[in-house]
């Protein structure tokens, strides 16, 4: 009767670590005990044997490190020489491996730098983890697709400090742009209104001045170093007087260091909020219903923000003087989450997109994975050439771990060479990548202390992962079979190799399909009827309110120019109507009605933007009541009131007063196509406007713009800021367009990497079947027969990859399109086109090697047979 065999791995582990002096005795005792326990229970005996082996794994019985070392320094040098000579000998495969890895690593590095930059926002503050802000949910008040609002009442900050001891400091702030004048020069700059606690919450580094008192008094202003240098040159700016908005004199009370690029807040100055008329008025009224400001605060260490959030309803119960139309719920958010959160209306700070961050990270991993698959495929394919090398090494005493170390070492060496090439490629591509992402991304080893260690770790991870399977596979070969030549069929038919090619092309085809869908959606957006004219309309931002007094004179002057067709003033452009109000039927209670967007316009608005009037009339100077009593609705608003366009004419509605509907316009897209067309009310506003819209003739635009700038300069010292309306429209999809461009770039790279791998595999296959091809040609096979023979297996794998890619790509793009209220349908031909594109590239790649092999002289291939 045969003795029961103990667990092999446990026994091998014991023999590997145990010192020879103790091995025989320990092994004998453990085997004897195992046989005794086996008679009672085989499972229990195996568990106990493994446990007994682990119990002996202690310093007393373990061999010295030198005795178990399986790669010496001399051996390492030998392996390095072998790897280097192998690379030089196999130039094509080395080029494909290093080239593919360098492209994959370069993409990975670029996206990693972008991700690192996005995640670093606002972490430069010493107290960054203690800074929070209050935002609010106005339940049911959906505006621009959400009922979350970043703005709060100005009274909130002092109330937080008064009511909650865990709030250390709280500051009220608001974005602003201002014209700063000094002597004969004017500077239009971006800044903030801030109260006296601003620098307690945000501890910016002061170069001059005292942060505790810098904003204590009205008409105080703190400048950044660069702005102070621009205005005052080498003179001391402290105590100097600046003209603010061409009206008040502000005193410079402090200079702070320039803000880092990874700051959500980008500004050139902070002025005392006590000089803001809106702030002073609202603080006097103590109404708690005008949400125009932002509230940030620092929380005491050890306090949980959710604990504070649960207490915030106390403020509403205590301070709200009248019940708001919608329930307000105050909520707490960390400053560290501000940059990647674009879900709130009227928010501040530069915004990133967490969805695109995840998507780009996924694409980076996919591209790098494709490069690793190339290496694995070619390494497995070439393993037949190195099988005898492995056999001979084993015969002369090499153990398996030494062989694994050799092959993984070669993989790490190739990856390291790929990294060196990738760094050069990254440096070359970085300006383009920075431009596309609109982020100041840098490859700086001195400032980014984690960059070099991370890259070295990346080399190890990629090298080990891509070389692991070939290493373990080759090291498992038996010397007897290798030296007798009995393993050729086993190696060349490895299934993993085929599945890697299938997976590689499936990933590439998914990216191709996604790129086609993204492109089609953007074409749909740009070609869709918008309901207004966006071509050849110049929109000038009104920065100076004194322009209100001169607008009639300015319009008359502009009309004298032959290239100016019409001019309108408006508070909202048709590309982005953001103002809102509530309207209701004339007899409906205040609790009724519904919310509509509101555009405040003049008599020429519909004419400038070619907005179609479906029923009724336009505003007219002939009707004195139009500015105060008349409104125009869009189709959606009329329908929400229960009227057709014709029925709406002459009807009365209420917002804050009684209005008469004099016209109904055709619906137009007043927001991006991420949102459905909403109800809209057009009303007259002759005493306030934010933009002047000028429809011009398309020829000699430079001359027309120069004329507009010169004439406006006669009435205002403010800069001439303008944009064409079609540029405003494009800005609505700027993030999406950027996604499409970057996605397309990585799609091309993925196809290129996959094609490189396929080219290498095709070249290797043709080389391996040289004699077979020669015999077939001698027997009468044509070139087309040979090409078909060599191509059909690869095309089958690519077709399978295409079938696997279809459902994944459809699901991913279906989910992406859900973000658009107006979107394309994913048609079958998009998949067909992507499949034809991928197969055509693959066929071209394979055929280049197949035709070369088919055209070879059969005599040369059979000469050595």
């Amino acid at each position: 009767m045969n003795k029961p065999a103990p667990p092999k791995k446990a026994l091998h582990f014991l023999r590997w670590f145990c010192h020879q002096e103790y091995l025989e005795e320990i092994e004998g005792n453990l085997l004897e005990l195992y046989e005794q326990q086996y008679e009672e229970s085989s499972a229990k005996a195996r568990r106990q044997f493994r446990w007994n082996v682990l119990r002996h794994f202690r310093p007393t019985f373990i061999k010295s490190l030198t005795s178990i070392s399986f790669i010496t320094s001399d051996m390492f040098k030998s392996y390095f020489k072998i790897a280097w000579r192998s690379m030089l000998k196999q130039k094509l495969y080395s080029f494909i491996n290093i080239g593919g890895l360098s492209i994959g690593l370069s993409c990975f590095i670029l996206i990693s730098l972008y991700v690192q930059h996005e995640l670093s926002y606002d972490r430069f503050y010493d107290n960054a983890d203690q800074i929070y802000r209050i935002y609010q949910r106005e339940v049911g008040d959906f505006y621009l697709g959400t009922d979350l609002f970043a703005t709060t009442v100005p009274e909130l900050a002092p109330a937080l400090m008064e009511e909650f001891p865990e709030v250390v400091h709280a500051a009220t702030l608001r974005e602003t742009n201002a014209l700063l004048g000094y002597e004969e020069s004017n500077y239009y700059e971006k800044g903030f209104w801030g109260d006296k606690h601003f620098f307690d919450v945000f501890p910016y580094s002061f170069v001059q001045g005292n942060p505790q008192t810098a904003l204590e008094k009205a008409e105080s202003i703190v400048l950044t170093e660069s702005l102070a240098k621009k205005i005052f040159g080498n003179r001391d700016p402290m105590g100097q007087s600046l003209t603010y908005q061409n009206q008040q004199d502000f005193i410079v009370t402090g200079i702070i260091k320039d803000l880092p690029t990874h700051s959500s807040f980008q500004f050139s100055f902070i002025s005392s909020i006590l000089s803001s008329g809106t702030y002073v008025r609202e603080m006097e009224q103590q109404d708690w219903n005008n949400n125009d400001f932002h509230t940030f605060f620092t929380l005491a260490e050890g306090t949980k923000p959710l604990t504070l959030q649960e207490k915030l309803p106390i403020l509403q119960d205590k301070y709200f003087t009248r019940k708001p139309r919608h329930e307000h719920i105050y909520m707490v958010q960390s400053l560290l989450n501000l940059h990647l959160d674009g879900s709130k209306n009227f928010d501040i700070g530069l915004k990133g997109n967490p969805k695109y961050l995840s998507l780009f990270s996924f694409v980076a991993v996919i591209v790098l994975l494709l490069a690793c698959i190339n290496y694995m495929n070619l390494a497995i394919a070439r393993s037949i050439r190195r099988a005898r090398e492995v056999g001979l090494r084993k015969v002369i005493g090499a153990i398996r771990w030494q062989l694994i170390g050799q092959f993984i070492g070669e993989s790490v060496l190739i990856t390291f060479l790929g990294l060196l090439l990738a760094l050069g490629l990254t440096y070359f591509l970085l300006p383009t990548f920075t431009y596309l992402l609109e982020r100041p991304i840098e490859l700086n080893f001195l400032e980014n202390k984690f960059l070099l260690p991370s890259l070295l770790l990346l080399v190890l991870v990629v090298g080990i992962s891509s070389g692991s399977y070939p290493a373990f596979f080759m090291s498992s070969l038996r010397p007897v079979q290798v030296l007798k030549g009995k393993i050729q069929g086993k190696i060349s038919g490895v299934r993993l190799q085929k599945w890697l090619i299938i997976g590689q092309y499936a990933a590439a085809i998914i990216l191709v399909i996604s790129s086609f869908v993204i492109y089609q959606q953007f074409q749909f957006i740009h070609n869709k009827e918008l309901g207004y004219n966006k071509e050849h309309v110049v929109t000038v931002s009104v920065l100076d309110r004194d322009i209100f007094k001169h607008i009639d004179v300015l319009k008359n002057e502009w009309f004298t120019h032959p290239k100016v067709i019409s001019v309108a003033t408006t508070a909202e452009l048709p590309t982005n109507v953001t103002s809102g109000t509530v309207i209701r039927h004339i007899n409906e209670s205040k609790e009724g009605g519904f919310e509509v967007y509101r555009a405040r316009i003049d008599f020429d608005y519909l004419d400038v933007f070619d907005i179609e009037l479906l029923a009724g009339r336009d505003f007219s100077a002939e009707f004195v009541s139009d500015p105060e009593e008349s409104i125009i609705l869009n189709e959606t608003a009329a329908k929400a009131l229960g009227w057709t366009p014709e029925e709406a004419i002459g009807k009365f509605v209420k917002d804050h007063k009684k209005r008469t509907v004099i016209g109904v316009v055709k619906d137009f897209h007043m927001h991006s196509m991420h949102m459905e067309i909403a109800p809209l009310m057009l009303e007259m506003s002759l005493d306030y406007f934010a933009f002047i819209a000028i429809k011009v003739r398309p020829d000699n635009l430079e001359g027309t713009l120069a004329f507009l700038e010169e004439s406006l300069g006669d009435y205002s010292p403010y800069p001439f800021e303008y944009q064409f309306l079609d540029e405003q429209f494009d800005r609505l999809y700027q993030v999406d367009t950027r996604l499409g461009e970057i996605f397309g770039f990585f799609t091309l790279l993925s196809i290129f990497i996959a094609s490189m791998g396929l080219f290498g595999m095709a070249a290797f296959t043709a080389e391996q079947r040289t004699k077979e091809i020669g015999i077939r040609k001698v027997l009468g096979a044509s070139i087309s027969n040979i090409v078909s023979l060599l191509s059909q297996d690869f095309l089958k794998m690519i077709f399978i990859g295409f079938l696997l890619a279809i459902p994944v790509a459809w699901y991913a793009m279906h989910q992406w399109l859900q973000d658009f209220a107006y979107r394309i349908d994913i048609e079958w031909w998009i998949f067909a086109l992507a499949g034809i594109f991928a197969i055509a590239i693959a066929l071209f790649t394979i055929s280049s090697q197949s035709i070369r092999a088919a055209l070879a002289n059969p005599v040369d291939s059979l000469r050595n047979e």
Side-chain angles (χ1 to χ4, degrees):
M1 181 177 177
N2 295 329
K3 293 183 179 181
K8 288 183 179 180
K9 291 184 179 179
L11 185 59
H12 289 164
F13 180 62
L14 175 68
R15 291 172 178 173
W16 177 71
F17 77 78
C18 192
H19 198 283
Q20 290 297 327
E21 185 179 344
Y22 308 109
L23 178 60
E24 185 177 354
E25 182 181 353
I26 293 174
E27 183 177 339
N29 291 340
L30 293 185
L31 289 174
E32 184 178 347
L33 184 62
Y34 174 76
E35 290 171 6
Q36 293 173 2
Q37 293 175 337
Y38 191 85
E39 295 177 0
E40 300 178 10
S41 169
S42 60
K44 181 179 178 182
R46 288 176 176 276
R47 286 197 303 271
Q48 191 63 40
F49 184 83
R50 294 188 185 98
W51 171 244
N52 289 334
V53 169
L54 290 174
R55 286 176 57 202
H56 285 84
F57 187 66
R58 54 181 188 264
T60 308
F61 304 112
I62 293 176
K63 298 176 185 178
S64 66
L65 291 175
T66 55
S67 62
I68 63 173
S69 174
F70 38 75
I71 298 183
T72 64
S73 59
D74 290 337
M75 193 176 295
F76 180 83
K77 292 177 183 177
S78 173
Y79 289 165
F80 179 81
K81 289 179 182 178
I82 292 170
W84 186 256
R85 288 169 183 170
S86 176
M87 286 169 52
L88 294 178
K89 187 177 180 181
Q90 304 288 333
K91 292 183 177 64
L92 174 64
Y93 304 115
S94 300
F95 171 77
I96 290 173
N97 281 330
I98 296 174
L101 284 171
S102 67
I103 294 172
L105 287 168
S106 180
C107 293
F108 191 85
I109 292 169
L110 285 170
I111 292 181
S112 297
L113 290 173
Y114 165 64
V115 171
Q116 183 189 39
H117 179 80
E118 291 296 281
L119 296 178
S120 70
Y121 270 82
D122 301 317
R123 297 183 183 275
F124 62 92
Y125 297 107
D126 293 334
N127 60 339
D129 58 343
Q130 294 174 256
I131 304 176
Y132 295 85
R133 66 106 167 249
I134 300 287
Y135 69 96
Q136 58 184 329
R137 179 187 297 277
E138 297 185 13
V139 182
D141 183 14
F142 282 93
Y143 178 78
L144 297 179
T146 180
D147 61 352
L148 300 176
F149 294 82
T151 49
T152 60
V153 295
E155 300 94 336
L156 181 58
L160 284 173
M161 289 190 290
E162 183 178 339
E163 298 290 339
F164 306 114
E166 57 266 46
V167 175
V168 183
H169 296 288
T172 303
L173 57 141
R174 185 180 185 181
E175 282 186 307
T176 185
N177 294 322
L179 186 75
L180 304 178
Y182 181 71
E183 295 180 345
E184 300 300 320
S185 301
N186 291 304
Y187 308 88
Y188 191 72
E189 300 291 336
K190 181 178 180 180
F192 276 96
W193 292 109
D195 67 13
K196 63 181 180 180
H197 295 290
F198 182 89
F199 294 113
D200 294 322
V201 177
F202 301 101
Y204 292 106
S205 299
F206 266 70
V207 179
Q208 291 179 272
N210 184 352
Q212 303 299 321
T213 60
L215 298 176
E216 212 168 37
K217 298 179 181 178
E219 298 174 352
S220 301
I221 188 168
V222 176
L223 310 179
T224 60
E225 272 189 298
S226 57
L227 180 58
K229 182 74 174 175
K230 184 165 71 171
I231 296 176
F232 300 106
N234 295 324
R235 285 169 288 185
D236 184 8
M238 292 296 291
Q240 295 282 358
S241 176
L242 291 174
T243 305
Y244 190 89
Q245 294 287 63
N246 217 25
Q247 297 172 349
Q248 301 165 275
D249 288 332
F250 276 56
I251 304 300
V252 178
T253 55
I255 305 296
I256 61 173
K257 288 185 177 179
D258 287 342
L259 297 150
T261 56
H262 52 283
S263 171
S264 290
F265 301 152
Q266 294 293 331
F267 56 84
S268 298
F269 68 87
I270 302 288
S271 51
S272 172
I273 205 167
L274 297 175
S275 299
S276 166
T278 305
Y279 175 82
V280 172
R281 184 170 56 254
E282 292 187 14
M283 288 296 288
E284 288 174 352
Q285 292 173 350
Q286 291 289 305
D287 188 32
W288 281 72
N289 277 285
N290 296 316
N291 299 291
D292 300 317
F293 295 84
H294 298 269
T295 303
F296 285 80
F297 64 94
T298 51
L299 203 57
E301 289 187 24
T303 305
K304 295 181 179 180
L306 286 179
T307 305
L308 175 66
Q309 182 171 298
E310 290 170 359
K311 298 179 182 179
L312 291 178
I314 296 172
L315 299 176
Q316 294 163 310
D317 295 339
K318 183 174 180 178
Y319 292 103
F320 270 51
T321 54
R322 54 189 172 92
K323 184 179 178 182
R325 178 179 175 85
H326 298 278
E327 179 188 2
H328 289 221
I329 302 174
Y330 284 139
M331 307 177 83
V332 176
Q333 182 182 37
S334 171
L335 174 70
L336 299 179
N337 298 327
L338 186 69
H339 175 65
L340 292 176
D341 180 12
S343 63
K344 296 164 184 61
N345 289 310
F346 311 118
D347 210 347
I348 55 175
L350 181 66
K351 296 298 178 184
N353 192 317
K355 288 184 180 179
Y356 292 165
L357 208 63
S358 303
L359 180 61
F360 289 157
S361 301
F362 175 74
V363 170
V365 172
I366 289 294
V367 173
L368 185 58
L369 193 60
L370 293 179
C372 293
I373 288 173
N374 276 355
Y375 180 88
M376 292 180 68
N377 265 335
L378 291 175
I380 293 170
R382 291 171 54 220
S383 58
I384 188 170
R385 291 189 169 186
R386 305 191 65 178
R388 293 189 178 183
E389 175 193 336
V390 172
L392 287 172
R393 287 185 180 278
K394 282 195 169 185
V395 166
I396 61 176
I399 62 175
R400 186 180 185 189
W401 287 106
Q402 289 175 329
L403 295 171
I404 290 173
Q406 176 189 353
F407 287 111
I408 288 181
E410 290 182 13
S411 176
V412 171
L413 174 62
I414 289 174
T415 307
F416 180 74
L417 294 175
L419 175 64
L420 295 179
L421 191 58
L423 290 175
L425 192 60
T426 301
Y427 183 79
F428 175 74
L429 292 174
L430 199 56
T432 303
F433 197 67
T434 300
Y435 170 76
L436 288 174
L437 289 174
E438 295 184 339
R439 294 289 189 272
I441 303 168
E442 294 181 345
L443 184 66
N444 192 322
F445 290 98
L446 296 177
E447 292 186 7
N448 194 340
K449 59 184 179 180
F450 297 107
L451 183 57
L452 186 58
S454 300
L455 291 178
L456 294 177
L457 179 63
L458 180 64
V459 166
L460 289 176
V461 170
V462 172
I464 292 172
S465 60
S466 58
S468 57
Y469 182 83
F472 280 93
F473 178 78
M474 292 297 295
S475 64
S476 67
L477 298 178
R478 296 182 179 179
V480 176
Q481 290 179 324
V482 170
L483 296 177
K484 287 183 178 181
K486 295 182 178 180
I487 50 82
Q488 181 170 344
K490 179 181 177 182
I491 295 178
S492 59
V494 176
R495 289 185 180 180
L496 176 65
Q497 195 176 357
K498 293 183 177 180
W499 280 110
L500 287 176
I501 294 175
I502 290 170
Q504 189 180 41
Y505 256 85
I509 292 170
I510 288 171
L511 294 180
V512 171
I513 293 172
S514 301
S515 294
F516 283 175
V517 172
I518 291 171
Y519 175 77
Q520 286 297 315
Q521 174 64 16
F522 291 152
Q523 287 297 106
F524 168 79
I525 288 171
H526 284 283
N527 295 329
K528 190 177 187 302
E529 176 60 44
L530 300 175
Y532 62 87
N533 169 50
K534 61 182 175 68
E535 303 299 330
H536 310 126
V537 177
V538 181
T539 61
V540 178
S541 299
V542 178
L543 309 176
D544 185 0
R545 294 201 171 194
D546 282 345
I547 291 296
F548 299 165
K549 306 171 188 174
H550 309 291
I551 188 61
D552 291 332
V553 178
L554 197 57
K555 277 186 176 182
N556 291 332
E557 186 175 339
W558 283 350
F559 278 128
T560 62
H561 196 280
K563 304 302 181 184
V564 173
I565 301 173
S566 54
V567 181
T569 59
T570 175
E572 289 84 20
L573 295 171
T575 52
N576 195 20
V577 179
T578 58
S579 180
T581 187
V582 176
I583 63 171
R584 60 188 184 276
H585 287 284
I586 191 68
N587 298 321
E588 203 169 356
S589 66
K590 289 184 178 180
E591 288 72 28
F594 60 94
E595 294 178 10
V596 299
Y597 290 95
R598 177 182 63 165
R600 291 158 291 177
I601 66 174
D602 72 353
F603 299 111
D604 302 300
Y605 185 88
L606 301 187
D607 177 52
V608 168
F609 298 110
D610 294 333
I611 296 174
E612 184 180 349
L613 194 66
L614 296 179
R617 64 173 177 86
D618 193 0
F619 293 116
S620 172
E622 296 178 4
F623 295 87
V624 221
S625 59
D626 276 4
E628 292 296 326
E629 300 175 9
S630 302
I631 60 168
I632 297 175
L633 303 176
N634 70 348
E635 290 177 274
T636 302
K639 186 177 180 181
L641 287 163
W643 303 322
T644 64
E646 291 74 18
E647 291 171 344
I649 306 306
K651 295 291 196 303
F652 296 102
V653 296
K654 265 190 177 182
D655 52 353
H656 57 281
K657 59 184 176 181
K658 182 180 177 181
R659 308 276 202 153
T660 305
V661 180
I662 63 167
V664 175
V665 296
K666 186 177 180 180
D667 281 342
F668 61 88
H669 290 275
M670 54 188 169
H671 303 116
S672 78
M673 292 186 196
H674 289 281
M675 296 175 58
E676 292 185 355
I677 294 176
L680 171 69
M681 178 183 84
L682 304 176
E683 66 175 352
M684 290 289 294
S685 176
L686 299 178
D687 56 352
Y688 172 78
F689 48 89
F691 301 95
I692 306 173
I694 310 105
K695 186 193 289 187
V696 297
R697 303 190 191 280
D699 52 316
N700 192 23
L701 286 175
E702 288 186 7
T704 307
L705 291 172
F707 166 75
L708 296 175
E709 181 177 8
E710 184 181 354
S711 54
L712 188 64
D714 294 337
Y715 300 96
S716 172
Y718 283 70
F720 180 70
E721 288 193 359
Y722 75 94
Q723 270 193 317
F724 286 94
L725 190 64
D726 56 354
E727 293 175 338
Q728 298 266 26
F729 175 81
D730 291 339
R731 284 182 61 189
L732 297 175
Y733 307 97
Q734 190 173 14
V735 174
D736 298 309
T737 304
R738 190 161 59 234
L739 164 71
E741 291 173 346
I742 296 175
F743 207 87
F745 173 72
F746 286 120
T747 298
L748 291 176
L749 285 183
S750 68
I751 287 289
F752 180 71
I753 292 173
S755 298
M756 285 179 68
L758 198 61
F759 178 83
M761 288 299 301
F764 183 83
T765 302
E767 186 179 345
Q768 289 297 110
R769 301 178 73 173
T770 301
K771 290 183 173 62
E772 176 192 346
I773 292 168
I775 293 171
R776 288 180 179 275
K777 289 190 73 175
V778 168
L779 295 176
S782 65
I783 293 177
S784 59
N785 295 142
I786 302 298
V787 172
S788 175
L789 173 71
L790 295 175
S791 303
Q792 59 186 357
D793 287 341
F794 289 110
L795 291 178
K796 285 178 184 177
M797 288 185 282
I798 291 165
F799 184 71
I800 293 171
F802 170 65
L803 294 179
L804 293 175
I806 289 175
V808 178
W810 179 88
Y811 177 78
M813 286 296 96
H814 176 74
Q815 292 299 111
W816 179 73
L817 286 171
Q818 297 311 302
D819 285 341
F820 293 88
Y822 302 91
R823 52 185 177 265
I824 62 168
D825 294 322
I826 305 178
E827 303 284 353
W828 65 269
W829 61 265
I830 294 178
F831 298 98
L833 184 61
I836 292 170
F837 175 73
I839 291 173
I841 291 178
L843 189 60
F844 174 78
T845 305
I846 299 165
S847 299
S848 63
Q849 290 299 311
S850 302
I851 293 172
R852 180 183 175 186
L855 292 174
N857 191 338
V859 175
D860 296 332
S861 59
L862 297 174
R863 182 176 294 163
N864 297 323
E865 186 61 34

